[in-house]
């Protein structure tokens, strides 16, 4: 295993200070390693996630070469030539597990914002104290955007959130964590080859969820109640003004509708599980209270906002991969982790084999199937389950 930084590098270096997992402790587990503390329904802090991954890696530690940056992978004979910062490796197969979130995705209109406004991405953001005084425009209302907007509003700043397509979810539903329902109802196990629109499923934004000890819901209504102003999707910059789409209420209605549909799936599953399963009665939540006439423009040079935080998603970085398997949008071409080049595999990408693929607990099932294919392609039997984790 080659790792450019340390074990659990992304959790050590690429997250803000207050972040906790949005998956509950009981769910955030790796094969053979899970949470065994007093708060299974809580949410891990970053040091706790690092500790979990280190605990998993410990038995295989001799196989992890940390501080080893892969700078080039090329096809060579019937295998690959891998160039790293500390030498060259030849191999027949490679599992690309370099992550789906290597770089913040920032739209081109960022270039049109004058330097008088500070621009930050979630990789550069640590806590509100690093921002200049004044208002903040948070762009994006998925998990990262709503969490940073709430933290900045609590620090006493004026916060505006530019809202595009998003996934609304309550933190708890019928008395249980909403992610418990995703798991129990089988939604998270839905397979990539059974989904109607896989491309869309792979592009879905992260749900509006936050992990707090109070298990609070952090949707747009919660942000509005904190005094955060909602505007539409940021569409352009003209004459120093940010122009927002007028479709805010539409995207909110769509998110409400999709949430209700998902809750309906949970209810249907609960009905088949039987009333003695002890669930609380079905719930429906108030529609999103988006303003009737949200503002459509913001003068970026008036001093009203001094910072823009781009919470517009993340993307993988394959600049080191010199094999023609990356599409025009920078995504790896693969079928359930089997990449379009002999002996090349991938893990940890959105809906790789299941809806849960990019979550910590989602890796186990995917890895088993991908490693099984890899072992068969090498002509050998798969490793026994007790040694398999050392492969990824
Ligand atoms: C802000 C945020 C919050 C999240 N919250 C949750 C959550 O609550 N629960 C959950 O289950 N999941 C969450 N996730 C998803 C999370 O990223 C995955 O669960 C998990 O980190 C994926 O692990 P990975 O090993 O596939 O990728 P990563 O954690 O990204 O690890 C990839 C590793 O590859 C290394 N690497 C990359 N390129 C190279 C190279 N060229 N050479 C050598 N090494 C390289 C990197 O240094 C990194 O350590 C979150 C993601 C983000 C971005």
């Amino acid at each position: 295993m080659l790792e450019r930084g340390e074990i659990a590098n992304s959790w050590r270096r690429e997250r803000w200070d207050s972040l906790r997992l949005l998956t509950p402790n009981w769910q955030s587990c790796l094969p053979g390693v899970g949470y065994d503390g007093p708060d299974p329904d809580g949410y891990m802090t970053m040091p706790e996630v690092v500790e979990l991954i280190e605990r998993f890696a410990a038995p295989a530690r001799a196989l992890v070469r940390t501080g080893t940056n892969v700078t080039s992978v090329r096809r060579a004979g019937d295998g690959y030539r891998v160039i790293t910062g500390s030498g060259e490796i030849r191999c027949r197969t490679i599992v690309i597990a370099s992550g789906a979130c290597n770089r913040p995705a920032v739209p081109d209109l960022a270039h049109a914002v004058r330097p008088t406004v500070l621009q930050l991405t979630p990789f550069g953001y640590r806590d509100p104290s690093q921002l200049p005084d004044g208002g903040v425009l948070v762009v994006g209302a998925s998990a990262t955007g709503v969490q940073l907007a709430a933290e900045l509003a609590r620090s006493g700043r004026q916060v505006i959130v530019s809202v595009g397509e998003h996934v609304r979810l309550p933190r708890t539903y019928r008395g249980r964590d909403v992610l418990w329902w995703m798991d129990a109802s089988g939604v998270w196990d839905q397979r990539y080859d059974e989904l109607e629109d896989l491309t869309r499923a792979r592009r879905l934004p992260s749900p509006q969820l936050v992990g707090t000890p109070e298990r609070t819901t952090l949707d747009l209504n919660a942000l509005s109640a904190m005094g955060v102003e909602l505007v539409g999707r940021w569409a352009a910059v003209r004459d120093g003004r940010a122009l927002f789409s007028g479709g805010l209420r539409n995207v909110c209605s769509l998110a409400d509708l999709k949430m209700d549909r998902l809750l309906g799936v949970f209810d249907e599953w609960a009905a088949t599980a039987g009333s003695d399963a002890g669930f609380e009665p079905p719930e429906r939540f108030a529609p999103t209270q988006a303003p009737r006439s949200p503002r459509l423009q913001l003068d970026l040079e008036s001093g009203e906002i001094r910072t823009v935080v781009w919470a517009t998603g993340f993307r993988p970085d394959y600049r080191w991969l010199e094999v023609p398997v990356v599409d025009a949008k920078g995504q790896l071409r693969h079928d359930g982790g089997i990449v379009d080049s002999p002996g090349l595999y991938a893990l940890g990408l959105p809906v790789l084999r299941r809806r849960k693929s990019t979550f910590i607990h989602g890796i186990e099932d995917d890895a088993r199937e991908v490693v099984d294919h890899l072992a068969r392609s090498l002509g050998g039997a798969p490793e026994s389950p007790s040694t398999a984790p050392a492969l990824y």
Side-chain angles (χ1 to χ4, degrees):
M1 281 171 281
L2 307 181
E3 166 56 57
R4 63 183 169 192
E6 296 170 75
I7 288 172
N9 207 53
S10 59
W11 301 106
R12 291 175 197 270
R13 309 256 173 266
E14 296 168 358
R15 310 285 189 255
W16 56 97
D17 291 352
S18 65
L19 181 68
R20 284 174 181 264
L21 289 187
L22 50 78
T23 41
N25 290 336
W26 59 265
Q27 197 167 51
S28 304
C29 52
L30 289 162
V33 178
Y35 179 83
D36 52 12
D39 186 17
D41 292 323
Y43 308 90
M44 286 180 210
T45 61
M46 291 306 100
E48 287 168 338
V49 182
V50 169
E51 195 268 330
L52 174 89
I53 296 175
E54 280 189 324
R55 234 175 341 123
F56 176 73
R61 190 158 215 146
L63 298 173
V64 185
R65 289 194 203 165
T66 53
T68 307
N69 190 22
V70 174
T71 54
S72 159
V73 168
R74 280 191 193 168
R75 190 102 181 102
D78 64 353
Y80 295 91
R81 180 170 172 238
V82 179
I83 311 280
T84 78
S86 45
E88 186 181 317
I89 297 169
R90 299 270 179 157
C91 53
R92 279 182 61 197
T93 65
I94 297 180
V95 179
I96 300 171
S98 50
C101 303
N102 304 123
R103 289 194 288 171
V106 177
D108 284 345
L109 49 82
H111 298 300
V113 178
R114 301 251 166 89
T116 46
V117 174
L118 175 73
Q119 298 190 55
L120 280 176
T121 70
F123 277 19
Y125 176 87
R126 285 289 165 271
D127 69 68
S129 71
Q130 84 193 92
L131 272 59
D133 287 342
V136 186
L137 172 61
V138 176
V139 190
S142 295
T144 301
V146 294
Q147 290 183 28
L148 298 189
E151 174 162 284
L152 289 162
R154 275 196 303 268
S155 76
R157 286 158 196 280
Q158 182 209 348
V159 178
I160 304 171
V161 179
S162 166
V163 180
E165 188 193 353
H166 58 275
V167 177
R168 181 183 177 197
L169 282 183
R171 179 70 266 183
T172 55
Y173 183 63
R174 299 180 66 175
R176 291 175 188 253
D177 196 291
V178 75
L179 299 183
W180 180 90
W181 288 95
M182 292 286 282
D183 214 21
S185 65
V187 172
W188 245 348
D189 276 320
Q190 284 171 353
R191 290 184 60 90
Y192 77 113
D193 44 9
E194 289 165 3
L195 295 176
E196 246 172 56
D197 189 345
L198 178 60
T199 311
R200 206 183 137 59
R202 285 187 169 156
R203 279 203 219 122
L204 267 188
S206 57
Q208 288 173 337
L209 285 176
V210 64
T212 59
E214 302 78 26
R215 303 172 89 196
T216 38
T217 292
L218 186 56
D219 56 13
L220 297 180
N221 286 347
L223 285 182
S224 298
M226 295 168 80
V228 171
E229 179 183 345
L230 308 179
V231 296
R233 190 187 166 81
W234 188 350
V237 177
R238 200 171 302 142
D239 303 328
R241 291 172 175 273
L243 307 185
F244 304 113
S245 149
L248 174 64
R249 287 174 75 85
N250 288 347
V251 288
C252 293
S253 306
L254 196 64
D256 290 351
L257 191 81
K258 286 186 178 164
M259 176 179 71
D260 283 350
R261 228 186 266 155
L262 183 64
L263 300 181
V265 171
F266 297 160
D267 293 337
E268 242 171 70
W269 172 83
T272 58
S275 54
D276 52 353
F279 304 121
E280 288 174 13
E283 297 170 77
R284 288 298 176 265
F285 301 90
T288 303
Q289 303 297 316
R292 266 189 196 288
S293 326
R295 74 162 108 179
L296 299 176
Q297 298 195 4
L298 171 68
D299 185 349
L300 295 167
E301 281 149 38
S302 66
E304 184 179 354
I305 61 134
R306 303 279 310 282
T307 310
V308 171
V309 178
W310 295 102
T312 31
F314 302 91
R315 57 180 43 151
D317 183 359
Y318 298 120
R319 282 176 292 185
W320 47 271
L321 185 56
E322 298 176 55
V323 184
V325 290
V326 178
D327 69 18
K329 292 199 164 139
Q331 301 295 334
L332 205 58
R333 277 200 311 275
H334 69 93
D335 178 10
I338 298 152
V339 182
D340 198 11
S341 179
L344 208 52
Y345 295 88
L347 282 171
L349 301 179
V351 201
L352 186 105
R353 285 193 162 240
R354 294 166 178 80
R355 278 201 194 270
K356 64 182 179 184
S357 290
T358 29
F359 289 89
I360 292 171
H361 72 292
I363 193 69
E364 179 172 4
D365 290 345
D366 282 7
R368 194 180 295 110
E369 290 173 20
V370 167
V371 170
D372 189 56
H373 189 288
L374 183 153
R376 273 187 283 118
S377 81
L378 285 176
E383 299 282 326
S384 71
S386 60
T387 57
L391 285 170
Y392 49 86

